[in-house]
Amino acid sequence: MDKARTFNKNILAALFFACALLIGFESGGYQACLMSIGREFALSDSLMGTLVSVQLVAVMLAPLVFGPLADKIGKKKILTTFLLVGAIACAIVMLSPSAGFFAVGIFLEGFSVSIVFYIAVAGLTDA
């Protein structure tokens, strides 16, 4: 096996593990702070549960919607695009003036982290 191929597999493996960490951190991280978020935006318990649902729906939908597209136009393009979407989503979450903007941010972040994880797994499988 040549060095370039081994290097690419190592990069994909590192991306895979980073994405696994990000998915866990994203899911558990903001949910651990959900009570503080609820106080900040004056949310009821049901609205805080809706925020969790918004993120989990995004995580489930992303591979279904963009998985086939990654095979058609290329994994690298989708990966790059959704890394940018994730960065924008983080900015939205940090700067959100209302619960609505926060929900959009966590939806986009869940969507982007999920598709990046999906593509990392597919890339490792291809390699």
Side-chain angles (χ1 to χ4, degrees), residues 62-110:
L64 297 174
V65 173
F66 287 100
L69 187 63
D71 290 331
K72 289 181 184 174
I73 67 170
K75 291 177 181 71
K76 189 173 184 178
K77 289 179 183 176
I78 295 291
L79 185 66
T80 305
T81 301
F82 279 96
L83 285 172
L84 178 63
V85 168
I88 292 168
C90 288
I92 291 171
V93 166
M94 287 189 306
L95 302 172
S96 59
S98 69
F101 281 106
F102 187 82
V104 168
I106 61 170
F107 180 83
L108 289 174
E109 184 60 25

Side-chain angles (χ1 to χ4, degrees), residues 15-79:
L15 181 62
F16 172 77
F17 289 116
C19 289
L21 175 73
L22 287 174
I23 284 179
F25 185 73
E26 177 212 4
S27 297
Y30 93 88
Q31 289 177 20
C33 301
L34 199 54
M35 296 304 283
S36 298
I37 293 166
R39 279 192 301 273
E40 178 73 26
F41 295 122
L43 301 175
S44 66
D45 289 345
S46 61
L47 286 176
M48 287 188 285
T50 302
L51 284 179
V52 173
S53 298
V54 163
Q55 185 257 342
L56 293 175
V57 165
V59 168
M60 289 186 297
L61 282 179
L64 297 174
V65 173
F66 287 100
L69 187 63
D71 290 331
K72 289 181 184 174
I73 67 170
K75 291 177 181 71
K76 189 173 184 178
K77 289 179 183 176
I78 295 291
L79 185 66

